Amino acid sequence: EVQLQASGGGLVQAGGSLRLSCAASGFTFDGYEIGWFRQAPGKEREGISCITSFDGTTYYADSVKGRFTISSDNAKNTVHLQMNDLKPEDTAVYYCAAMDNDSHWCSLHQPDFGSWGQGTQVTVSS
């Protein structure tokens, strides 16, 4: 059974940093892509970053580009999202998800992601 466990959220002041982790079990990252999404209160869930297992291609939404970094530790079957220079508008529940993808093109098309983690809350105070 494919399972994803997101962790690392918390409360941080604006300008601070957090590192989220997405631990996978029941499958290995080979042939998969991992995406990070977030949903703020009253807003739709948005895709913010993804990484492919094929060659580590990454993608960032404009809202996080230059501040967030996604990386994978294949030996530990874990993907990290390093979030720096956090802003109050980054406050949201963050989810990781997995989709079949053995290409070097990274996608954040949510219907393509078949497995989702439970989410971790990130709150940034001003």
Side-chain angles (χ1 to χ4, degrees):
E1 179 185 4
V2 174
Q3 289 189 330
L4 298 171
Q5 179 79 31
S7 62
L11 173 64
V12 65
Q13 289 186 332
S17 298
L18 284 173
R19 188 173 86 150
L20 304 184
S21 297
C22 177
S25 61
F27 73 107
T28 61
F29 284 159
D30 285 346
Y32 281 84
E33 169 194 323
I34 300 297
W36 281 99
F37 301 81
R38 67 185 182 186
Q39 187 166 23
K43 294 188 177 181
E44 293 186 354
R45 188 167 58 192
E46 64 167 334
I48 57 173
S49 185
C50 55
I51 186 166
T52 66
S53 62
F54 179 77
D55 59 1
T57 297
T58 59
Y59 169 84
Y60 300 93
D62 288 343
S63 57
V64 305
K65 194 176 297 181
R67 300 187 297 123
F68 291 10
T69 302
I70 191 170
S71 62
S72 70
D73 183 342
N74 290 345
K76 295 183 178 180
N77 238 24
T78 301
V79 169
H80 301 289
L81 185 69
Q82 177 67 41
M83 307 187 297
N84 298 329
D85 189 23
L86 283 162
K87 304 176 181 181
E89 51 264 41
D90 294 318
T91 294
V93 178
Y94 284 69
Y95 301 89
C96 61
M99 65 173 281
D100 293 340
N101 183 2
D102 60 1
S103 77
H104 71 101
W105 297 108
C106 197
S107 167
L108 287 172
H109 187 234
Q110 295 188 42
D112 292 336
F113 286 83
S115 300
W116 291 80
Q118 85 290 1
T120 184
Q121 175 71 46
V122 171
T123 303
V124 184
S125 63
S126 57

